[in-house]
Amino acid sequence: MYRFFVAICLAASIIVPTLAAARDIAGDWSGKLQAGSIALKLVFHIPADDSAVTMDSPDQGAFGIDGETVTLTNDSISFRIPKLMMTYNGALKDGKLEGTFQQGGLKIPLVLERGVEKPKRPQTPQPPFPYKEEDVTISNTAASSSLSGTLTIPENADASTPVVLLVSGSGLQNRDEELFEHRPFAVIADYLARNGIASLRYDDRGCGKSTGDVTNATTADFASDAKAAIEWLRGQKRFGKTGIIGHSEGGIIAYMLGAEKKGPDFIISLAGPAVKGAEIIAYQNKYSMMKAGIPEKSAEEKAEAAVKHLSMQSNPWMKYYLEYDPAAALGSLKIPAFIVYGEKDMQVPHALNLEPAKRLAKKAKIREYADLNHLMQHAETGDMSEYSTIEETISPELLSDIVTFIRSLLS
């Protein structure tokens, strides 16, 4: 589940900087914004001419966000990012920009240093690739959405080659499910292709090159997009067995479609919830408050109050998520299923979901992996604050087990 964000605002007329002033402060600057338990990397590109500042949020897969320079001198700068309702005011001190990030009444110190340190992501696929990729577009006419995706095809693929649809977690995700400069779906697609398995991954509706209504969309709507993609794959008549690999909310969608008569031939769920969203959010809140030192009973009461407050909001996605129970879909699974949980997952906790999944999906292969977090990375604590610091994108052991499971269906 990725429904966390730092909404990153100021109003003033633009003052065109002088070139002399810009030369002292121009360049790339980066820093970590500490917002609660999340350390979010931000990068700002300050030009040496009269063009505007731009911003990257690599951890959230956002780049080139347009900004507006408000003031610029030889040792200070003030700018805003209107799209994110964010402002920054900083001054040079000992070679660093020391300043304040602001959104409405929220003010957080933010120190920027020159340059951009690229995180190590050793599993990110690098060319040349021993497989073919095609840009494709899938229409979900029932929802008036258009999905832009990448079809990855192994060498020597034929009509017996299995293919999987990759379905992302909650929040708008691009086709690589990019987060903190990790690209897990690209890593999975690469690994599958090198092992003779085709895949399709796509930008969620309203994200990247895909279109469609997201304001009123629920998990059921995103499931309809995935269903359209499965139907598109089968309509190509280029592959054999067709399955789904769903992560987090994508795991719920895998259960939903897997329970249908004309659904996929198999499913793989990575941290797919087996209980109602209300239970998961209550657990998350209770854990966070107890970690902050709040006594268990008080934390539990506050967590329940938080869930009740959320249930009264008008957000269609949240209302659906809180109330939807995956039990019926899990209990109806008759196709091969591989259900995975990480022992250190703090977003879809194994303690809350593992046993219900075992009880409901009696014929599924269910495995809990020690030391894996919600992103299926080996982790120390599993807290979200670790996501960006871990170099591993996804467990190699899990990747191997996914391939083993799919191959077992072909014999």
Side-chain angles (χ1 to χ4, degrees):
M1 304 277 160
Y2 298 144
R3 289 188 177 267
F4 68 88
F5 63 92
V6 178
I8 309 188
C9 177
L10 170 97
S13 58
I14 300 174
I15 298 176
V16 178
T18 65
L19 287 175
R23 290 191 188 103
D24 289 338
I25 208 168
D28 298 329
W29 296 81
S30 61
K32 284 280 187 179
L33 182 70
Q34 194 68 43
S37 63
I38 300 297
L40 190 67
K41 182 179 178 180
L42 299 179
V43 178
F44 301 99
H45 307 284
I46 301 175
D49 54 23
D50 60 357
S51 56
V53 170
T54 59
M55 170 187 152
D56 302 334
S57 181
D59 294 343
Q60 296 176 308
F63 299 89
I65 304 169
D66 292 332
E68 296 177 354
T69 305
V70 177
T71 60
L72 179 61
T73 70
N74 63 343
D75 62 358
S76 66
I77 188 170
S78 175
F79 58 84
R80 61 182 174 181
I81 310 294
K83 184 177 180 180
L84 302 178
M85 297 187 295
M86 170 235 154
T87 64
Y88 181 75
N89 298 280
L92 276 175
K93 184 178 180 181
D94 298 327
K96 300 179 181 180
L97 273 174
E98 297 187 2
T100 302
F101 160 99
Q102 182 172 356
Q103 179 213 348
L106 177 67
K107 294 183 179 181
I108 303 175
L110 178 59
V111 177
L112 303 176
E113 297 187 16
R114 283 193 182 276
V116 181
E117 181 181 357
K118 298 292 288 183
K120 294 179 181 178
R121 300 290 182 256
Q123 288 176 290
T124 298
Q126 301 295 333
F129 302 124
Y131 49 80
K132 182 172 64 174
E133 291 195 319
E134 298 178 5
D135 291 331
V136 301
T137 302
I138 300 117
S139 295
N140 180 2
T141 53
S144 300
S145 60
S146 177
L147 308 175
S148 178
T150 300
L151 183 64
T152 305
I153 308 167
E155 286 184 317
N156 304 316
D158 57 27
S160 67
T161 299
V163 61
V164 295
L165 177 71
L166 302 176
V167 184
S168 70
S170 63
L172 298 184
Q173 309 288 313
N174 67 21
R175 68 194 67 190
D176 293 337
E177 206 188 32
E178 188 170 353
L179 186 74
F180 300 112
E181 297 193 60
H182 286 291
R183 299 168 57 200
F185 277 12
V187 172
I188 293 174
D190 176 85
Y191 190 88
L192 292 177
R194 293 174 187 272
N195 286 275
I197 301 167
S199 65
L200 172 62
R201 61 194 196 272
Y202 59 91
D203 299 333
D204 289 345
R205 66 162 73 181
C207 180
K209 296 181 180 179
S210 293
T211 63
D213 173 45
V214 295
T215 303
N216 301 299
T218 68
T219 303
D221 297 305
F222 292 116
S224 75
D225 288 340
K227 183 175 182 178
I230 287 288
E231 292 172 348
W232 182 89
L233 281 171
R234 285 189 168 142
Q236 298 298 297
K237 301 186 184 303
R238 299 167 65 179
F239 306 107
K241 289 184 179 295
T242 304
I244 292 177
I245 297 178
H247 177 227
S248 197
E249 182 185 28
I252 296 178
I253 291 170
Y255 303 150
M256 288 176 165
L257 300 186
E260 295 185 357
K261 288 184 178 180
K262 295 183 179 181
D265 297 309
F266 62 91
I267 65 168
I268 298 171
S269 168
L270 308 180
V275 297
K276 288 184 177 183
E279 293 184 53
I280 291 176
I281 291 180
Y283 188 102
Q284 291 173 341
N285 278 276
K286 178 181 174 181
Y287 168 82
S288 297
M289 286 185 277
M290 288 179 64
K291 186 180 176 183
I294 297 175
E296 183 174 1
K297 184 177 181 180
S298 178
E300 189 169 334
E301 292 173 351
K302 291 178 183 295
E304 290 175 357
V307 171
K308 185 177 181 179
H309 176 74
L310 283 173
S311 69
M312 297 171 66
Q313 305 304 304
S314 59
N315 182 293
W317 182 91
M318 180 58 72
K319 290 179 72 68
Y320 187 96
Y321 174 67
L322 290 173
E323 297 170 5
Y324 177 75
D325 190 345
L330 275 165
S332 300
L333 287 176
K334 293 181 173 60
I335 59 174
F338 181 26
I339 299 174
V340 171
Y341 293 104
E343 189 180 60
K344 293 187 175 179
D345 188 339
M346 295 293 106
Q347 291 184 256
V348 180
H350 74 103
L352 203 61
N353 294 274
L354 182 64
E355 291 307 318
K358 287 181 176 179
R359 184 180 69 253
L360 294 162
K362 298 184 185 302
K363 294 183 179 180
K365 176 183 179 181
I366 301 177
R367 180 172 175 186
E368 177 187 31
Y369 289 78
D371 299 326
L372 295 194
N373 62 15
H374 187 65
L375 301 189
M376 299 292 129
Q377 305 165 306
H378 286 89
E380 292 294 326
T381 68
D383 284 347
M384 289 161 47
S385 58
E386 288 184 318
Y387 293 171
S388 64
T389 63
I390 298 173
E391 293 183 6
E392 179 181 83
T393 295
I394 188 169
S395 161
E397 179 187 9
L398 174 58
L399 290 172
S400 177
D401 288 348
I402 288 172
V403 168
T404 299
F405 173 75
I406 295 174
R407 284 177 173 170
S408 74
L409 308 177
L410 309 179
S411 57

